[in-house]
Amino acid sequence: MGLYNERILPYLIDVSMAGTTLEPYRREVLAEVEGAVLEIGFGTGLNLPYYPDHVRHLVTVDPSPGVHRLAQKRIDASPIAVDHRLLSGEALPMAEATFDSVVSTFTLCSIPEIEQALAEIYRVLKPGGRFFFVEHGLSDEPGIQTWQNRLTPLQKRIAGGCHINRNMRQLIEQQFDQVSLTAAYVERLPKIMGYFYRGVATKA
């Protein structure tokens, strides 16, 4: 799976995540980002065009060299200075209370130790700092949940560890003090893939 994950999967991710269906979600979740910003799961840099104009510097982490190679063209074309680190979200080297904003878009589904990653996000946020997210995950329909549970083992193999059955509301609310979140299906996506959680979590 090494060749697939490093050479083929990055292109598949870039194509599948760059569609117009996801553009409004990126734009909305990034609209209020401010201050010192960390993006978890930078991927191929698809969020860069949607950051507000006042964001001029960005720290990003992603464990995959393959997706970062694809991101370089977007980094070079962006007015934002990107400090990219080849790191996993579960073990951030940044000091406690470093960032005003942390961003995650379609990333938490594929982090192996998601609880640890959320604890790290909380740790590096300043008091009053905000975690901005849009993620897909477990549907609220039992019948769809059944299929999500059945298909997740296959999805993990072909999509870089992606889980389609994670209850993002529960995971985020158990870590953060204040969470404003909406969850609903996205038009034009299959229900097993298209139940989106989006919102803001605030550190006390």
Side-chain angles (χ1 to χ4, degrees):
M1 296 292 285
L3 177 64
Y4 173 78
N5 284 333
E6 292 303 321
R7 297 293 181 180
I8 299 172
L9 183 60
Y11 288 95
L12 297 177
I13 291 173
D14 193 56
V15 170
S16 63
M17 301 302 292
T20 56
T21 298
L22 303 183
E23 180 179 338
Y25 294 91
R26 297 184 190 278
R27 192 180 302 279
E28 179 180 340
V29 78
L30 295 170
E32 296 183 15
V33 169
E34 61 183 358
V37 183
L38 170 68
E39 182 174 334
I40 302 289
F42 183 61
T44 60
L46 289 168
N47 284 335
L48 280 175
Y50 305 107
Y51 276 97
D53 290 341
H54 59 261
V55 175
R56 311 305 294 176
H57 181 266
L58 183 64
V59 179
T60 66
V61 299
D62 197 293
S64 170
V67 293
H68 184 62
R69 281 192 291 269
L70 294 183
Q72 194 59 53
K73 288 184 179 180
R74 292 189 177 99
I75 293 172
D76 293 341
S78 175
I80 301 173
V82 178
D83 176 6
H84 181 67
R85 321 279 182 88
L86 285 172
L87 296 170
S88 167
E90 295 111 325
L92 300 174
M94 299 83 174
E96 184 175 340
T98 297
F99 297 100
D100 301 284
S101 304
V102 176
V103 172
S104 171
T105 61
F106 313 108
T107 294
L108 297 181
C109 62
S110 59
I111 296 178
E113 300 296 334
I114 183 173
E115 292 91 349
Q116 179 61 31
L118 286 166
E120 282 289 271
I121 290 169
Y122 188 90
R123 182 184 66 81
V124 300
L125 276 170
K126 297 176 183 178
R130 294 181 292 173
F131 172 43
F132 299 86
F133 59 89
V134 55
E135 302 285 349
H136 70 153
L138 188 69
S139 167
D140 62 349
E141 291 185 62
I144 302 300
Q145 290 177 6
T146 297
W147 280 104
Q148 288 179 311
N149 291 328
R150 287 175 179 170
L151 293 174
T152 286
L154 175 62
Q155 177 73 3
K156 287 166 60 178
R157 287 185 59 82
I158 65 175
C162 172
H163 298 68
I164 54 178
N165 63 347
R166 283 180 170 170
N167 187 329
M168 296 300 180
R169 178 189 298 273
Q170 183 181 77
L171 288 162
I172 294 170
E173 287 183 346
Q174 72 186 14
Q175 178 63 63
F176 277 85
D177 310 291
Q178 179 182 340
V179 180
S180 175
L181 178 153
T182 60
Y185 290 113
V186 178
E187 294 182 7
R188 294 182 287 175
L189 288 180
K191 283 188 171 183
I192 60 169
M193 300 292 295
Y195 194 74
F196 280 19
Y197 299 76
R198 53 180 168 168
V200 181
T202 304
K203 181 176 179 177

